[in-house]
Amino acid sequence: MLARHFDERCLASTRTAVFHAASDQGLAGEPLTDFLIAVNECVTNALAHGGGRGSLSLWRTNGGLLCEITDTGPGIPARALTEGPLPPPGAPGGRGIWLTRRLADQVSFLTGPAGTTVRLSMRVKRPEARERRRERQTSEGSALMRWNEMSKRQQGTLMALASVEVALTAAAAVDLCLRPAGDVRGRKGLWWMAIFVQPVGPLAYLLWGRRP
């Protein structure tokens, strides 16, 4: 249903592709939001710790959706995979894994020196896929330059901006998941959707969405 390689340059388009594919298969509401956040955490971990790139596959199963994220990094330390309470802020890693396990229905990890494969599954309540037509606008004469047409300085700036985007989105997602609803200005469900609107969403939540 969906198979693609990703790196920091195409992080946003990868998230958008997963959103559209999962929506078309009937995932909606809070389960869709949870699934997107879980997938985003795994993709973010692959970029940060798995060599800066990876591959993603998404397909329909009898009961729902299954997403597989693979990287070629050095593997996840065993201590980071130990199930338990949320690691403290000073602990090296483990918070994204903790969050992913609580958002997806099932999560499995296959990791070693050659890389890591994470599988996330989410039940879809409606058995039949929803067929929806979406208008896709293309502008072949766009002013956007291809990556290989950019200067080294432009490429470096884009990579730096993408890294900041990844960090802000992850920080906002973890904080929103753990923060009580009474300590959030507005509805948490709306903020879940807003933090994926880059770059305004994560900044808006971190600056104005939290009550002191």
Side-chain angles (χ1 to χ4, degrees):
M1 182 170 65
L2 177 65
R4 61 187 297 157
H5 297 283
F6 62 84
D7 56 24
E8 288 187 347
R9 294 169 293 174
C10 59
L11 177 61
S13 63
T14 298
R15 286 198 299 246
T16 300
V18 174
F19 168 77
H20 287 312
S23 298
D24 286 347
Q25 292 301 313
L27 200 59
E30 187 173 339
L32 174 60
T33 302
D34 289 347
F35 186 67
L36 293 176
I37 295 172
V39 171
N40 181 71
E41 283 296 324
C42 293
V43 171
T44 300
N45 282 342
L47 293 177
H49 309 294
R53 64 186 62 198
S55 62
L56 181 149
S57 299
L58 178 68
W59 63 92
R60 181 70 184 257
T61 64
N62 290 333
L65 293 176
L66 183 63
C67 184
E68 181 178 277
I69 300 99
T70 300
D71 65 58
T72 56
I76 303 174
R79 56 176 170 74
L81 294 176
T82 302
E83 296 196 42
L86 176 66
R95 297 171 69 88
I97 294 174
W98 181 92
L99 179 63
T100 299
R101 282 174 166 154
R102 279 149 184 81
L103 293 173
D105 289 330
Q106 291 184 334
V107 183
S108 66
F109 297 89
L110 179 62
T111 185
T116 298
T117 296
V118 184
R119 282 193 169 190
L120 311 170
S121 65
M122 185 68 81
R123 293 184 298 272
V124 177
K125 293 182 179 180
R126 296 181 59 183
E128 295 183 359
R130 294 182 301 173
E131 297 292 339
R132 299 190 308 170
R133 285 191 173 183
R134 298 183 306 271
E135 293 185 358
R136 300 184 181 276
Q137 297 180 347
T138 57
S139 56
E140 296 180 357
S142 172
L144 294 176
M145 294 185 295
R146 296 181 182 273
W147 176 258
N148 58 7
E149 295 174 343
M150 293 182 180
S151 67
K152 293 296 183 181
R153 182 175 181 180
Q154 289 172 323
Q155 291 177 352
T157 300
L158 185 59
M159 294 287 282
L161 291 174
S163 298
V164 172
E165 177 186 315
V166 169
L168 285 174
T169 303
V174 171
D175 184 273
L176 184 57
C177 180
L178 300 178
R179 186 173 293 271
D183 293 341
V184 177
R185 291 190 174 97
R187 296 173 55 187
K188 291 186 73 172
L190 295 178
W191 279 116
W192 276 125
M193 301 303 296
I195 61 176
F196 288 101
V197 179
Q198 301 296 336
V200 179
L203 283 172
Y205 170 74
L206 293 172
L207 292 176
W208 303 295
R210 303 178 295 176
R211 296 185 187 277

